[in-house]
Amino acid sequence: MEGGHRGGGGAVWDYVVFAAMLLVSAAIGIYYAFAGGGQKTSKDFLMGGRSMSALPVALSLTASFMSAVTVLGTPAEIYRYGAIFCIFAITYALVVLCSAEIFLPVFYRLGITSTYEYLELRFNKYLRLCGTVLFIIQTILYTGIVIYAPALALNQVTGFDLWGAVVATGVVCTFYCTLGGLKAVVWTDVFQVGIMVAGFSSVIIRAVVVQEGIGRIVNDSYHGGRLNFWDFNPNPLQRHTFWTIVIGGTFTWTGIYGVNQSQVQRYIACKSRFHAKMSLYINLVGLWAILVCATLCGLSLYSIYKDCDPWSAKQVSALDQLMPYLVLDIFKDFPGMPGLFVASAYSGTLSTVSSSINALAAVTVEDLIRPYFRSLSEKKLSWISMGMSLFYGGVCIAMAALASLLGALLQAALSIFGMVGGPLLGLFALGILCSFANGIGAFVGLVTGFVVSLWVGIGSQIYPPLPERTLPLPLSTAGCNISISSNLTTSTANPLTTIFSTQAPERPVLADRWYSLSYLYFSTLGTLITIVVGMIISLLTGQREENCFFHFTKVVVLSWKTSTNAAEGTDNPAFSHIEMDVASDKNKVNGLHI
């Protein structure tokens, strides 16, 4: 199984292809460090000077959404659970619609760098701090796993050097983020999305050739029950059904596209609001294309291994090793092609990590440094932003090292912090959609949403849902003519699906009811609880500001009339009025230029 099985010449070409990908990425960073006079202000560095156009930003959004977990995990997911995953196409459309029509206009008009500035404008600075800290912890955890998990899977199957690859990707990534800022992040993403599509396409084309036509792949998948598109079971405990994917998936992903700094930062960096919206809609096409590629890869996997599943036959120790295994299998005689696939998986890692590093730097500078050190000049702030990029790059590599020691623990931590997304989305939605919400309500709502999410989340970690809830499809080893003995001992887990498998002795009643909730509903639960509790508490505590119900009806009536007097009398102006004030002579809100 190790790379030694491949001819010396082949392995050399693989490393050449991989190195070329890293070099081009680094070169783009160097170019943007000096192009157009370099990075004069922190705005230039963190926001690309707000001069980006729609197409590169769209490709960049697609790239960072697609980590190596997508490249390795999604085809394996389809191989194991079938093509119902394609229903995410509908989810992505809804997510992009919500982000472009609800969240984007607010963030773009305010001209903010960090999305959490909005929380201070709308509520108070403590909520801004909450949001910032949660984001930083979540992103650092996520990045550590995103670097390490795919590296491990690729290393175990292809023998590709584990730490060499982790350190090389980490260093190159930090290098171009630190030198080139957001422009470098966006343009390297454009290049990397090309590599990812190339890697996927090569696998699909070769698989079609091996199987003598796409008809056979579809036919095998159909007979193997892999084309299970329609499952309208309304049971929220079922892992993937039409409803869990469309409803749960929409909440989960809107938390990422609508309010997560890594994504928002890039579409706010567009030169006009039209370009920002276009970037989201073009990115939707990219998401669909990636989904189709991943699905075809998954079905090809099934078609090729339908009689001999490498996972059951212990040829690979985890599902996310199936793709690299397939690549080595079908590209035996093509030097450099496995290298292209490895490069495409690592492109996924690079693009995700670079946007995380840039977002972490932005949040730290805007939320933790600028408000407390008012005297710093723009030049100094741009140097501090660079320093922050360097620092977070180091932290991410360190987290990857930590992931190798505490894999299961870190994945548990990530899935727990993944639940932060729900309540945070609820907090933003409360501020934007609900004019009478106040700081107290928002804070209580956030905490309640968070506690409930944690309760379900930790419960589902301790008592993983039963197979009848997750519905894995049958795999066969009938056609295997290999002696089942393997040198793979350690396992890699896909951070998004498998989390500790400590089987508890007895399962309490809650385990099969409450904790077996589909993982996609964790976010939904957090969001809805935050909004509902936030509204109720705001109504209870809002009386001293002015009669809330009166205020509510007034806002509904005046919401789109350019009226500025409706906001008088509250220390917490409803957001629609701030938006209207843009037209009037009040150019500042809380000392912040709009």
Side-chain angles (χ1 to χ4, degrees), residues 178-256:
T178 305
L179 280 183
L182 187 76
K183 278 187 180 149
V185 171
V186 168
W187 284 103
T188 46
D189 281 356
V190 171
F191 163 67
Q192 284 151 5
V193 110
I195 299 276
M196 281 190 270
V197 171
F200 264 150
S201 314
S202 66
V203 175
I204 294 167
I205 292 166
R206 180 72 187 134
V208 169
V209 173
V210 170
Q211 292 298 82
E212 297 156 2
I214 196 152
R216 184 162 158 201
I217 294 179
V218 174
N219 202 20
D220 287 343
S221 308
Y222 176 72
H223 288 301
R226 290 301 186 273
L227 301 182
N228 52 350
F229 293 110
W230 305 113
D231 176 359
F232 288 102
N233 183 352
N235 186 349
L237 305 180
Q238 220 69 31
R239 181 168 172 271
H240 280 167
T241 67
F242 180 85
W243 304 114
T244 51
I245 292 177
V246 170
I247 299 169
T250 300
F251 278 91
T252 306
W253 284 108
T254 306
I256 292 170

Side-chain angles (χ1 to χ4, degrees), residues 18-26 63-64 66-68 143 146-147 150 165-177 184-185 188-189 191-193 195-196 266 342-358:
F18 182 63
M21 187 267 298
L22 289 181
L23 281 174
V24 174
S25 300
S64 39
M66 247 197 89
S67 64
T143 318
V146 142
I147 297 175
V166 167
V167 173
T169 43
V171 167
V172 168
C173 206
T174 309
F175 174 78
Y176 69 73
C177 287
V185 171
T188 46
D189 281 356
F191 163 67
Q192 284 151 5
V193 110
I195 299 276
M196 281 190 270
R266 264 164 308 164
V342 171
S344 79
Y346 277 111
S347 292
T349 301
L350 274 175
S351 56
T352 308
V353 173
S354 62
S355 45
S356 299
I357 290 177
N358 200 268

Side-chain angles (χ1 to χ4, degrees), residues 2 21 26 42 46 159 175 197 239 279 281 437 540 542 573:
E2 285 302 306
M21 187 267 298
S42 65
L46 299 172
F175 174 78
V197 171
R239 181 168 172 271
S279 75
Y281 287 121
L540 294 178

Side-chain angles (χ1 to χ4, degrees), residues 1-4 15 152-162 328:
M1 262 338 288
E2 285 302 306
Y15 281 104
L152 186 58
L154 287 164
N155 161 266
Q156 289 195 328
V157 178
T158 60
F160 207 83
D161 190 300
L162 176 65
L328 282 195

